[in-house]
Amino acid sequence: MWSDILKQMGKQYEMPRLVLYTGSVMSACGNGSAAMGPFYCSGDQCVYLDLSFFQTMRKQLGAGGEFANAYVIAHEVGHHIQQQLGILDDAHAQMARSSESESNKISVRLELQADFFAGVWGHYENAKYNSVSDKEIEEAIKCAHNIGDNYLQKQSQGYVVPENFTHGTSEQRMRWFKLGLTTGDIRLGDTFSKSEAEL
């Protein structure tokens, strides 16, 4: 899907590598563990996926199904798209010069854009193969909800600290994912040009 999308933008898509692991793994970005969940490392352009994560997602977060699983992987590939478009390096440079609270706000914009890119992928996947049912879309949207910062903080500590958000609220994550999924228009995913109220 991304080869076709980037070709329309005059760019060539280079596929990331998928690294499956159990427990812990060493990446160019440092040590990764199952507790972190899936992650993308721009240093080696790899998506890292702990094999136990989907069980955790289903049992502890109540989010399962094939398309929900695909959304999680597509979100990490979304970070690879950001890398290829130069967005990730720019954001990381800004974060390095910023306070922790400002850095967290930049991180939220990165994560919401990766959710949007996951939705764009889902849009074209479904258009090409008619492979996603309404029920599966609901499961993926529920997954986006259940990995929102406010939801996870409430579950783990019983209260919410918005200045510590790094991925966005449940509502934001669902909205950006759905926007990509319904439109398929990559031009609508510039989270960095939006005010905080518009996110």
Side-chain angles (χ1 to χ4, degrees):
M1 301 302 143
W2 283 114
S3 293
D4 292 342
I5 294 166
L6 291 191
K7 186 185 278 185
Q8 291 169 13
M9 299 171 68
K11 298 182 181 295
Q12 185 173 349
Y13 178 58
E14 295 172 21
M15 290 178 65
R17 281 194 320 123
L18 177 62
V19 178
L20 302 176
Y21 73 96
T22 304
S24 66
V25 67
M26 200 63 194
S27 77
C29 299
N31 195 40
S33 70
M36 292 171 54
F39 67 97
Y40 173 73
C41 175
S42 58
D44 53 20
Q45 298 194 20
C46 292
V47 171
Y48 289 87
L49 187 63
D50 181 274
L51 293 174
S52 67
F53 178 76
F54 295 121
Q55 292 174 346
T56 302
M57 200 169 88
R58 191 174 65 253
K59 291 178 184 171
Q60 293 178 12
L61 300 177
E66 286 186 14
F67 191 57
N69 294 349
Y71 153 65
V72 169
I73 297 169
H75 171 93
E76 299 307 329
V77 173
H79 288 307
H80 181 63
I81 298 303
Q82 290 171 327
Q83 172 71 18
Q84 296 217 297
L85 296 177
I87 297 166
L88 200 58
D89 285 343
D90 287 349
H92 285 164
Q94 279 185 302
M95 290 165 81
R97 298 188 303 265
S98 302
S99 67
E100 184 178 351
S101 64
E102 283 304 310
S103 181
N104 286 348
K105 289 176 183 177
I106 295 166
S107 175
V108 165
R109 291 174 187 274
L110 277 174
E111 298 299 334
L112 295 178
Q113 187 177 59
D115 282 335
F116 173 81
F117 287 161
V120 169
W121 167 80
H123 176 89
Y124 286 103
E125 166 72 18
N126 195 37
K128 188 168 186 176
Y129 300 108
N130 196 25
S131 55
V132 186
S133 69
D134 289 345
K135 182 177 185 293
E136 287 177 311
I137 290 172
E138 285 173 21
E139 288 171 345
I141 290 169
K142 180 182 179 185
C143 178
H145 174 274
N146 290 1
I147 55 176
D149 285 323
N150 56 327
Y151 183 88
L152 293 175
Q153 285 185 3
K154 186 80 171 165
Q155 295 295 105
S156 67
Q157 61 195 26
Y159 58 92
V160 173
V161 185
E163 55 268 23
N164 291 345
F165 289 176
T166 57
H167 285 67
T169 66
S170 295
E171 194 271 332
Q172 288 172 324
R173 297 200 72 171
M174 289 189 300
R175 186 172 19 155
W176 282 98
F177 174 61
K178 283 197 280 189
L179 181 63
L181 191 60
T182 54
T183 67
D185 188 347
I186 196 169
R187 295 169 300 178
L188 299 178
D190 183 3
T191 55
F192 291 89
S193 68
K194 304 291 184 188
S195 70
E196 285 195 39
E198 292 174 308
L199 286 177

